[in-house]
Structures are given as structure tokens and as C-alpha cells.
Amino acid sequence: MNATDLTGKAAIVFGGTAGIGLATVRLLIERGARVLAAGLNSSDARVALAGVGDEASLLWREVDVRDEAAVSGAVAAAAEAFGRVDIAINNAGVESSFGPVQDAQQDEFDKLMGINLRGIWLGLKYEIPHMLAHGGGAIVNTSSQAGVAGIANVALYTASKHAVVGLTRAVALENAIHNIRVNAVAPGPVDTGLLHRMVDGHIPVSVIADSVPMKRVSQPAEIAEAIVWLASDAASYVTGHVLVADGGITAA
Ligand SMILES: NC(=O)c1ccc[n+]([C@@H]2O[C@H](COP(=O)([O-])OP(=O)(O)OC[C@H]3O[C@@H](n4cnc5c(N)ncnc54)[C@H](O)[C@@H]3O)[C@@H](O)[C@H]2O)c1
């Protein structure tokens, strides 16, 4: 059997309603998994998810990953609907404002860490006990190129994404013996709303594209391929890894 085939697997994707997360939901379903997609903005999300899967393969739930009860409720809902959760993708994240660190305000710090770091921790907190009780699973957290290298003018975002790498490695070690693999993906620039919002008015996306060795930004579907590979049995001996998909930026 093809180890990337996900027939019979059940997944939850936090931040699964736009950009990279939406592309991941689509690919998981194409490969045969059933998916609970969780994210903000129910009306936008329903439009985005329409046609991605049918009632049997796709559930939707409005979740703010800062809300512990909502996160635990989403994991419980996926487990109840599908009988188990084999795959968890902790992808929800937000951009920072663009500028020097001294210009950032405390509420922005709290928002970034609350979503990009605390939200991922909350996902892990409720996914892991479920996977321990069911004999294992695979978790992928979304970090960033900014999680493995410094990026000027987005220092708080950079800090939040470095923290995701640390969390991923430590939790991978805690769970290696329990058949739970925990990895992270570290994308370079991806053509999503987040990228455009983050640099709008500061750097044209075409200039960013030109700075990439491959001379382009990526598409969400390309990052979804990396995430779904890490989540699949094809990556059965891979844990605590940060898969950089950045068109060569950090090779320099
Ligand atoms: N776009 C890029 O260039 C890029 C590069 C590296 C890493 N990333 C990371 O990829 C992930 C996805 O980003 P994207 O580019 O697809 O952005 P996006 O804005 O297109 O999608 C973000 C998703 O996260 C969800 N989300 C945001 N805040 C949330 C919250 N409080 N609770 C629950 N869900 C929430 C949204 O509903 C949406 O589904 C983020 O973690 C981001 O930091 C993006």
C-alpha cells in the first residue's frame, strides 16, 4: 500500500479554513482521510470549505485557539464523530505588524503569543491524551522560515515561530516512545492572506519573490504536501523534525 494513502484515518486541522490550512484539509481528504476543520469566521469558512468534502469526510467547527474549552471541544468532537483522531495539524496563526521591535505594543505581543504559541500548546494538550489512549498518532505544527532564522521587522512573529520549533522538539521527545510523532513545517513566503497583510505597504510581494533563490513565493498546496507527508506513514521514522519548505532561502 502507498504509505501516503490516508484511507481510514481521521484528522483535525486547526486553522483549516484559509490558506495553508485549507489546502491541507483538501489534500487530506483527497488522500482518503476524514477531517474536522477548525478556524475563525464561520461564514467565510463555510464558503471556503464548500465543495472541499462531503458530509461524511468533512466537518466544520468555529474555534478560536485561544479558547481552551473550544480547543478541547473540537478534539472531542472529532473523536466522537470519527471514533479516533490519528492526525492533528496545529496550523492556526496570525501575522505581526511590520516594523522595529520597539514599536510593537503589549496587546500585539499577547495576541501573537496567544494564537501562534499558546494555541498550538492547547492543541497538543488535548490531542496527545487522545492519541495516547488510542495507541499513537501524528502531529504537525506550523512554524515558519521565521522559526529557524531571524527576520527583521517581524521580531515578535519570529519569536513565536521559534517557540513552535522548541515546543515541537520537546513534545516529540516526550512522545517518541508512545508512537506519537510530532513534527513542524517551516514555510518560506506563501501566497496567502497572511503574507499579503503582513507586508502590505512595506514590501511588494514581487520583491519578496525575487529574494527567494527559486524566484517565487510558494502556493499553499505545496506546503500542504509537506504537512501531509509528515502526517502520513511515509514519514514513519521522522519525529522532532522541522521540514523547511522555503525555496532555498535558509540554505544561504
Ligand atoms: N503565508 C506565509 O507566508 C506563511 C509563512 C510561514 C508560516 N506561515 C504560517 O502558516 C499558518 C497558516 O497561515 P496562512 O498563511 O495560511 O494564513 P491565513 O490567514 O490564510 O490562514 C490562517 C488560518 O488560521 C486561522 N486562525 C487565525 N487565528 C485563529 C484563531 N485565533 N483561532 C483559530 N484559528 C485561527 C484562520 O481562521 C485561518 O484558517 C500560520 O501559522 C502562519 O504563521 C505562513
Side-chain angles (χ1 to χ4, degrees):
M1 198 182 83
N2 181 343
T4 59
D5 181 46
L6 301 176
T7 304
K9 303 255 190 196
I12 186 164
V13 181
F14 287 104
T17 57
I20 296 167
L22 180 63
T24 302
V25 170
R26 188 174 282 125
L27 189 58
L28 287 165
I29 290 174
E30 270 175 34
R31 298 270 165 86
R34 291 171 296 164
V35 181
L36 188 148
L40 294 178
N41 304 332
S42 55
S43 56
D44 290 356
R46 286 203 183 91
V47 171
L49 290 167
V52 169
D54 58 20
E55 274 179 24
S57 61
L58 177 63
L59 300 176
W60 144 253
R61 203 171 164 105
E62 184 169 3
V63 172
D64 186 326
V65 294
R66 289 168 291 188
D67 178 347
E68 181 165 2
V71 173
S72 83
V75 175
E80 192 181 329
F82 304 140
R84 53 185 295 128
V85 178
D86 306 286
I87 293 168
I89 312 297
N90 299 313
N91 170 73
V94 286
E95 69 280 5
S96 60
S97 59
F98 190 94
V101 72
Q102 64 272 24
D103 289 356
Q105 303 300 321
Q106 200 160 274
D107 56 352
E108 183 184 4
F109 180 95
D110 292 343
K111 183 181 178 195
L112 271 173
M113 297 303 165
I115 297 172
N116 294 7
L117 176 57
R118 185 172 178 269
I120 290 195
W121 165 63
L122 284 176
L124 294 166
K125 182 173 169 61
Y126 290 97
E127 292 150 6
I128 287 169
H130 175 82
M131 290 178 176
L132 285 173
H134 288 81
I139 298 174
V140 183
N141 300 322
T142 304
S143 177
S144 169
Q145 169 208 341
V148 295
I151 301 185
N153 293 309
V154 291
L156 298 184
Y157 181 79
T158 301
S160 73
K161 293 299 183 178
H162 270 67
V164 172
V165 169
L167 191 61
T168 300
R169 289 179 173 146
V171 176
L173 291 173
E174 290 174 17
N175 289 282
I177 197 74
H178 301 304
N179 194 34
I180 302 173
R181 296 183 301 103
V182 187
N183 291 292
V185 67
V190 193
D191 189 14
T192 68
L194 182 147
L195 175 67
H196 290 272
R197 289 190 301 271
M198 186 143 72
V199 301
D200 190 34
H202 300 281
I203 313 175
V205 171
S206 59
V207 171
I208 293 175
D210 215 40
S211 71
V212 178
M214 290 179 78
K215 297 291 172 204
R216 63 179 181 87
V217 302
S218 66
Q219 293 303 310
E222 297 179 280
I223 307 306
E225 289 282 354
I227 293 172
V228 171
W229 180 78
L230 284 170
S232 77
D233 291 344
S236 56
Y237 200 55
V238 180
T239 197
H241 182 63
V242 182
L243 200 167
V244 175
D246 68 352
I249 297 170
T250 52

